[in-house]
Amino acid sequence: MTFPLFTRRSLAALAAAVALGGLGAAHAQQRVIHIIVPFGTGAVQDTVARAFNNELGVALGGSAIVENRAGAGGTVGAAVAAKAPADGNTLVLAAASHNIAGFLYSKLPYDPLKDFVGVANVGNAGYVLAVASGMNVATTADFIKEVKANPGKYNYASAGNGSATHLAMASFLAKAGLQMTHIPTKSTGEAVNEVLAGRVQAVISSSIGVMGFQDDARVKLLASTGQARSPFLPKLPTVGESGLPGYAFDSWIGLLAPAGTPKAEVERINAAANKVLADPAIQERFKRLGVEPRSQSAEAFQKLLRADWDAMGVVVKASGRRSTDLLVVVRVGAPVRGACPGHRVLPSANVPRGCAPPP
């Protein structure tokens, strides 16, 4: 029996081919985690997601990419995540608005509590009451007095119907007995810009949305909305101490996965997220965004979600908002750019800024 003779050159070529084949297989098997952000660029969830997604991907042995699926107060993105395979490769970075939607909309294509499992609580976001300088008010008490004297005269902006910024202001107005017109936009950044431009008179924004405007003559930061003063804006009084006792609002921020995701996978992602959040560099990034980093077990986060579900039910009821019909049609993998309550959302639907009356 004879065997072919291999030259050094042919052996080298064979070795290179094997190596390249191995690299190709490894690349093909590299894990890609999709983090859905249910709001637009500049929203608090968007900035937080981009502050740690690269490190989370590495910790999980692959990459994590951020996908903005804005519309209908965060329900479009949540619907996409709910319909994704329960394999841990699709997550949604949610906040208080996730549970709010369950009480605000009567026909969601998913259940905010039952169709998701808590994976990792990553932070807590505070909010700030800010007004256009044209209102000429210096405190929360002044603001309440001015709006009460002119019912229906003033507008307020939010990141969209059903968003935390919407319900934070709606509950504020209900508690204070005020009337203002709601102007929904696509993101917190856009809502703040409306106030800066003077087209809208007020907004309750996430801290990151307004921290950079503390010395801007176009806007006045009146108060933070938490139970205690914000560590990022310590000189700013709370709403409770400056004009509306008993009012408080803030929000958790965390990763959720579709229900049915294996417990072992949930625990693996939780461990990776907690490891990333323990990095001082990541903690500093979060603090620059006005978000207090959090780290807890998946089980503890799930308990927090259930408690928050009950709390948001109280907030929605206190705000006077009623359940609204909302139909969100989502085809997994199709681009969904936006929506308003009462509108049917189809792939590639290009919904304009603000909300027109439902058809």
Side-chain angles (χ1 to χ4, degrees):
M1 181 180 291
T2 60
F3 296 92
L5 295 177
F6 289 94
T7 65
R8 289 184 178 180
R9 180 175 295 179
S10 63
L11 287 171
L14 178 62
V18 171
L20 287 172
L23 287 173
H27 179 72
Q29 295 173 3
Q30 184 184 52
R31 183 176 189 179
V32 178
I33 300 98
H34 299 264
I35 301 177
I36 294 175
V37 171
F39 291 95
T41 302
V44 62
Q45 284 114 293
D46 178 68
T47 56
V48 169
R50 297 179 192 280
F52 79 109
N53 69 297
N54 289 333
E55 288 79 3
L56 180 64
V58 171
L60 289 169
S63 61
I65 60 176
V66 177
E67 297 182 8
N68 295 88
R69 294 296 187 96
T75 59
V76 169
V80 172
K83 295 178 182 295
D87 56 8
N89 289 329
T90 300
L91 308 170
V92 59
L93 189 65
S97 56
H98 179 79
N99 282 339
I100 287 171
F103 296 95
L104 199 62
Y105 303 125
S106 62
K107 294 184 179 179
L108 287 175
Y110 62 89
D111 185 300
L113 200 60
K114 296 179 181 179
D115 289 342
F116 293 90
V117 59
V119 176
N121 184 10
V122 302
N124 186 77
Y127 289 77
V128 173
L129 171 61
V131 300
S133 58
M135 285 197 72
N136 293 317
V137 296
T139 67
T140 301
D142 291 342
F143 174 72
I144 292 173
K145 182 178 179 180
E146 174 63 22
V147 176
K148 187 167 289 188
N150 298 278
K153 176 182 177 180
Y154 297 112
N155 302 327
Y156 73 92
S158 79
N161 284 289
S163 66
T165 55
H166 174 201
L167 265 294
M169 181 62 92
S171 59
F172 174 95
L173 297 176
K175 189 172 184 63
L178 307 178
Q179 295 180 26
M180 296 182 75
T181 301
H182 178 212
I183 307 297
T185 68
K186 291 182 180 178
S187 70
T188 299
E190 187 175 336
V192 172
N193 283 338
E194 290 298 298
V195 175
L196 292 171
R199 290 186 290 268
V200 171
Q201 289 74 47
V203 64
I204 287 184
S205 163
S206 56
S207 297
I208 180 58
V210 294
M211 283 171 59
F213 301 107
Q214 295 180 66
D215 300 319
D216 195 307
R218 296 171 296 174
V219 65
K220 173 73 174 177
L221 309 190
L222 296 183
S224 59
T225 66
Q227 294 279 3
R229 293 195 178 196
S230 167
F232 309 110
L233 297 164
K235 294 182 180 180
L236 205 63
T238 66
V239 167
E241 68 179 295
S242 61
L244 191 58
Y247 175 87
F249 186 93
D250 59 10
S251 174
W252 54 270
I253 302 174
L255 292 168
L256 310 181
T261 299
K263 184 177 180 180
E265 186 62 22
V266 169
E267 295 293 345
R268 195 164 84 88
I269 300 173
N270 176 269
N274 288 341
K275 178 181 178 181
V276 169
L277 292 169
D279 185 339
I282 299 297
Q283 293 181 1
E284 184 58 32
R285 287 182 203 169
F286 273 44
K287 290 176 181 178
R288 288 200 298 269
L289 296 174
V291 174
E292 297 180 67
R294 293 289 169 86
S295 181
Q296 62 182 170
S297 68
E299 182 180 2
F301 183 39
Q302 188 64 35
K303 290 180 180 179
L304 182 151
L305 291 174
R306 291 184 178 277
D308 183 73
W309 173 262
D310 295 335
M312 289 303 102
V314 174
V315 168
V316 173
K317 183 177 180 179
S319 74
R321 298 289 161 177
R322 293 179 298 176
S323 181
T324 303
D325 288 347
L326 174 68
L327 180 59
V328 179
V329 179
V330 176
R331 297 175 188 169
V332 176
V336 182
R337 297 194 178 94
C340 291
H343 287 258
R344 181 182 296 270
V345 184
L346 296 174
S348 299
N350 189 7
V351 179
R353 185 174 139 250
C355 291

